[in-house]
Amino acid sequence: MPKDSSESISVEGRKTVYPGRIWDVVQDTFEFNGQKLVRDYVAHPGAVAVVAVDEHNRVLLVNQYRHAVASTLWELPAGLRDLDGEPLVETAKRELLEETGYVASEWSDLISFYPSPGGLSEEIHVFVAKDLTLAPSDFVREGEESAMISEFFELSDVVNSILRSEIKNGPCALAVLAYAAKLAGQ
């Protein structure tokens, strides 16, 4: 069975090419397989996403405008690992509440993945959240999140929308398909 493995490559030099508000573009110089290489990539703090399902196994999605693709996308509740030292599941709990108003009493790991490892250091950790209830929150959404809505959808409808390329958000697609495969006993 194939399995990814970490490598310990010594970086000879690193410089920030562009300092961003949330992430930076950095340039590393390193030696690999006898060659000196220079690579630019986005240094990202990582993120979490939540497959939140209700008692009918419907999936809770959020609808958010994404400027880079000039589209409003259906996505999982998700967010950056932007609080130092916060455990992954606590970040997921915080993001679920902030984006949807829900809390969950049952949490489990689903998958972790690199969405674009050729140029982005981000790793996304996905959790499944069950036993949902609405909870009060004083979080104020800003920017694109100010128009965000959330809605429950039948799992089969979300899977079909993904397979028809009607939902194009990568983390949503991968996580929902992984969740459906897990339920099917894969």
Side-chain angles (χ1 to χ4, degrees):
M1 183 173 300
K3 183 178 177 181
D4 295 343
S5 61
S6 297
E7 298 289 336
S8 294
I9 303 294
S10 179
V11 175
E12 297 171 11
R14 173 172 290 155
K15 69 178 181 178
T16 300
V17 177
Y18 172 79
R21 187 175 64 83
I22 297 171
W23 47 74
D24 298 335
V25 176
V26 297
Q27 184 175 84
D28 283 357
T29 303
F30 59 99
E31 188 171 313
F32 182 81
N33 202 24
Q35 302 172 60
K36 189 171 193 167
L37 303 174
V38 177
R39 295 291 182 263
D40 299 336
Y41 61 94
V42 175
H44 193 287
V48 297
V50 181
V51 178
V53 294
D54 68 6
E55 66 276 7
H56 306 291
N57 211 33
R58 296 180 306 162
V59 179
L60 181 60
L61 299 180
V62 297
N63 192 251
Q64 183 174 0
Y65 175 71
R66 295 298 189 176
H67 188 72
V69 294
S71 299
T72 302
L73 304 178
W74 285 105
E75 306 177 350
L76 295 175
L80 295 171
R81 296 191 61 208
D82 53 2
L83 296 178
D84 287 340
E86 184 177 49
L88 291 168
V89 71
E90 294 305 316
T91 304
K93 289 176 181 180
R94 178 172 50 85
E95 290 295 339
L96 179 63
L97 178 61
E98 290 175 358
E99 293 192 355
T100 69
Y102 282 92
V103 295
S105 61
E106 184 181 332
W107 289 86
S108 59
D109 291 309
L110 182 61
I111 57 172
S112 294
F113 64 95
Y114 301 117
S116 188
L120 176 65
S121 68
E122 179 182 29
E123 182 174 5
I124 299 177
H125 299 270
V126 183
F127 295 90
V128 175
K130 294 183 176 182
D131 195 16
L132 305 175
T133 55
L134 282 171
S137 173
D138 58 0
F139 181 76
V140 177
R141 295 184 192 145
E142 298 177 345
E144 294 88 346
E145 289 183 345
S146 65
M148 181 186 294
I149 61 167
S150 59
E151 188 173 335
F152 285 97
F153 294 94
E154 295 292 332
L155 176 60
S156 61
D157 290 341
V158 177
V159 168
N160 287 330
S161 289
I162 291 166
L163 296 176
R164 289 191 303 264
S165 297
E166 296 167 347
I167 291 178
K168 295 183 180 183
N169 177 273
C172 179
L174 182 57
V176 168
L177 294 175
Y179 177 71
K182 185 175 182 177
L183 288 180
Q186 300 295 318

